[in-house]
Amino acid sequence: MASRDDLPRRGKRLPRRRFQRRRVGRSLIHRRFFCMPLADRALTILHEWVQSESLRKHCYAVADSMKHFAQLRAEDADLWESVGLLHDMDYERHPNLEQSSTEGHPFVGVAWLRQSGWSEEICRAILSHADYSGVPRETSLEKTLYAVDELSGFVIAVALVRPTKSIHEVDLAAVKKKMKDKAFARAVNREDIVRGAQELGMPLEDVIANVITALQSDAARLGLAGIAR
């Protein structure tokens, strides 16, 4: 007859079972994450890295513009939107105000993306939107990101000074007028906006109009649906 010492002890096995359940749970979450569309994965990463609501909205706006231009050119809208969401993912933690060519934004974010298996096409596009990175803009993806980055932020700024704070009240004329006002949104480099349109090979007016359209389609998430007067 077996003694009590010979009998299996439940207390010793429970932790292993709990560990196995946790491991299976993590594996399922990991698999589900990599089965998601790129843009959904990018949005999850953005929310993990960025807590600032204004920076999140900037990334949403750039992503909206990227998706819009991708659809116009029959490109991969999911991939282009992802680039827009991720292009400033590390700016809050590593702003790189000194514009180092090796450290901080966007190098930290790109290093993490590469380690996490994101494509070189996406990583290179993100690097190229920073002039100081030394990565020249060659592809349509890269040139579009540069063209819409500063401009998307500028269009948001124009909407926020409207009485109703509505993107639906912003038009081409309003944006061009504000671009001439050097005291308005001083942090936005007008030369970058003009250069971006030139590199893209589009009239500046057309780029502005398309960015406005893109942001109008996502007014609620951007907080630009307007308020009652």
Side-chain angles (χ1 to χ4, degrees):
M1 181 175 176
S3 68
R4 292 185 63 182
D5 291 335
D6 295 326
L7 295 174
R9 297 182 181 180
R10 294 181 182 177
K12 291 185 178 180
R13 294 188 180 184
L14 282 175
R16 181 178 297 178
R17 287 174 187 157
R18 289 197 206 102
F19 175 75
Q20 289 172 340
R21 283 197 293 269
R22 282 199 298 267
R23 187 165 57 186
V24 170
R26 289 192 192 116
S27 177
L28 286 172
I29 292 171
H30 185 76
R31 257 180 279 164
R32 286 172 188 161
F33 179 77
F34 282 94
C35 287
M36 293 163 60
L38 278 180
D40 289 346
R41 289 164 54 191
L43 185 63
T44 299
I45 292 168
L46 174 66
H47 288 170
E48 289 174 353
W49 279 70
V50 176
Q51 303 307 310
S52 164
E53 195 62 28
S54 61
L55 183 53
R56 284 184 179 185
K57 287 180 179 177
H58 169 70
C59 293
Y60 299 158
V62 175
D64 293 333
S65 296
M66 292 296 290
K67 181 179 179 180
H68 179 81
F69 275 89
Q71 291 169 337
L72 286 179
R73 299 181 174 213
E75 298 282 359
D76 186 340
D78 187 37
L79 186 146
W80 282 43
E81 182 181 2
S82 300
V83 170
L85 289 167
L86 296 171
H87 81 287
D88 277 350
M89 60 175 278
D90 58 354
Y91 188 82
E92 183 175 270
R93 300 182 189 178
H94 308 277
N96 193 9
L97 301 180
E98 304 81 10
Q99 297 193 346
S100 165
S101 61
T102 57
E103 300 175 351
H105 167 72
F107 306 103
V108 173
V110 167
W112 185 91
L113 290 170
R114 281 173 171 158
Q115 290 173 0
S116 300
W118 287 75
S119 73
E120 190 59 25
E121 180 182 15
I122 288 174
C123 292
R124 194 183 188 285
I126 293 172
L127 287 175
S128 74
H129 91 280
D131 286 329
Y132 54 83
S133 72
V135 177
R137 291 176 288 278
E138 299 173 350
T139 67
S140 180
L141 171 66
E142 294 162 0
K143 292 175 181 178
T144 303
L145 176 61
Y146 187 80
V148 305
D149 183 16
E150 291 289 295
L151 182 55
S152 295
F154 191 81
V155 171
I156 287 177
V158 174
L160 289 174
V161 298
R162 306 297 289 184
T164 62
K165 301 186 184 300
S166 172
I167 187 66
H168 299 293
E169 290 190 2
V170 175
D171 58 16
L172 174 61
V175 174
K176 291 187 70 177
K177 181 179 179 180
K178 287 297 186 182
M179 282 187 68
K180 295 176 183 178
D181 181 357
K182 302 304 181 184
F184 177 77
R186 291 180 181 177
V188 177
N189 190 324
R190 273 70 164 170
E191 292 180 2
D192 287 351
I193 293 176
V194 173
R195 187 186 307 117
Q198 291 172 343
E199 290 185 6
L200 201 54
M202 288 180 67
L204 177 59
E205 291 78 6
D206 290 353
V207 180
I208 293 172
N210 277 288
V211 167
I212 292 171
T213 299
L215 270 54
Q216 286 175 340
S217 70
D218 197 19
R221 183 170 66 158
L222 297 174
L224 301 175
I227 56 177
R229 283 191 278 186

